[in-house]
Amino acid sequence: ELKVEQNPLFLSMQEGKNYTIYCNYSTTSDRLYWYRQDPGKSLESLFVLLSNGAVKQEGRLMASLDTKARLSTLHITAAVHDLSATYFCAVLRNTGTASKLTFGTGTRLQVTL
Amino acid sequence: NAGVTQTPKFRVLKTGQSMTLLCAQDMNHEYMYWYRQDPGMGLRLIHYSVGEGTTAKGEVPDGYNVSRLKKQNFLLGLESAAPSQTSVYFCASSILWPAQNTGELFFGEGSRLTVL
């Protein structure tokens, strides 16, 4: 059974600081995704990481994937208040008959002024 | 630009009542999913469908039934609601798995269900 673990679960950081969110998963996967969720809202896709060594960047967020270590990171550079949200990683496995996405528990990020 | 639409958005039920959540997508996606989201537990897959007329169980299927009579619709039913089913329910859809596609899921806005 695929397990996806994120840490930390909660992160309070000051504006302007850097930090990294970690996503570990237990078995080989086909794709890894990062999603953002604002309170009371749906999930918004941030990044899709397709292969070992993949790195994607959008603004102050950068995601990377190490399939050998079964680890993905989401790095936040010079945080701003607008980045406050919950971030989920999710791992996709193709079982041959279906593709299933398993989510981590989420990291709630609070950026303070 | 409707994407994935869920109805209703909010519902309060009494224990033992039944209800159906409707998910509709206009992107011609083959795959559809129902997830539930509970505090501190991320999203957990309830049921999914790989095409019209097909359904399959996810991680937490007990107490729920689903149907996919039309490609664009995926219904989630609770026959006898229990307080443990208080949650936010998300529907999602994606294109059929081709090697070059990202497999990205598109989510609806969620349905908040409270069972008293």
Side-chain angles (χ1 to χ4, degrees), chain A residues 10-21:
Chain A
F10 177 74
L11 176 57
S12 180
M13 55 190 300
Q14 288 182 320
E15 275 200 335
K17 299 291 187 183
N18 304 334
Y19 209 84
T20 300
I21 299 171

Side-chain angles (χ1 to χ4, degrees), chain A residues 31 33 37 42 45 92 94 99, chain B residues 35 37 97 101-102 104 108:
Chain A
R31 308 278 162 88
Y33 303 80
Q37 186 181 35
S42 186
S45 179
L92 186 74
N94 182 12
S99 298
Chain B
Y35 286 88
Q37 183 176 31
W97 179 271
N101 186 273
T102 64
E104 181 180 3

Side-chain angles (χ1 to χ4, degrees), chain B:
Chain B
N1 291 340
V4 179
T5 304
Q6 293 180 228
T7 53
K9 294 202 170 24
F10 300 93
R11 185 75 187 268
V12 178
L13 287 178
K14 293 181 181 177
T15 297
Q17 287 185 316
S18 64
M19 75 158 295
T20 300
L21 297 176
L22 170 64
C23 177
Q25 52 97 2
D26 61 1
M27 296 173 283
N28 202 35
H29 284 170
E30 293 289 342
Y31 282 36
M32 294 188 76
Y33 310 80
W34 276 108
Y35 286 88
R36 61 177 285 173
Q37 183 176 31
D38 302 293
M41 300 187 75
L43 279 78
R44 293 180 292 168
L45 182 63
I46 305 171
H47 286 280
Y48 63 98
S49 167
V50 301
E52 182 178 314
T54 74
T55 63
K57 294 180 181 180
E59 296 174 71
V60 288
D62 294 342
Y64 305 95
N65 56 75
V66 286
S67 65
R68 184 103 181 265
L69 298 180
K70 294 183 180 181
K71 185 178 182 179
Q72 63 268 33
N73 294 338
F74 194 29
L75 278 63
L76 177 72
L78 285 71
E79 289 187 349
S80 180
S84 61
Q85 295 177 304
T86 294
S87 187
V88 181
Y89 293 85
F90 285 97
C91 176
S93 71
S94 71
I95 198 167
L96 188 63
W97 179 271
Q100 300 304 316
N101 186 273
T102 64
E104 181 180 3
L105 266 65
F106 295 84
F107 284 86
E109 297 203 346
S111 298
R112 185 175 295 274
L113 175 66
T114 302
V115 183
L116 302 175

Side-chain angles (χ1 to χ4, degrees), chain A residues 5-46:
Chain A
E5 293 184 349
Q6 281 181 244
N7 68 84
L9 298 183
F10 177 74
L11 176 57
S12 180
M13 55 190 300
Q14 288 182 320
E15 275 200 335
K17 299 291 187 183
N18 304 334
Y19 209 84
T20 300
I21 299 171
Y22 297 89
C23 174
N24 290 90
Y25 54 97
S26 60
T27 64
T28 56
S29 77
D30 298 290
R31 308 278 162 88
L32 190 137
Y33 303 80
W34 284 95
Y35 284 88
R36 169 183 170 142
Q37 186 181 35
D38 292 302
K41 301 293 186 183
S42 186
L43 282 81
E44 172 192 355
S45 179
L46 293 174

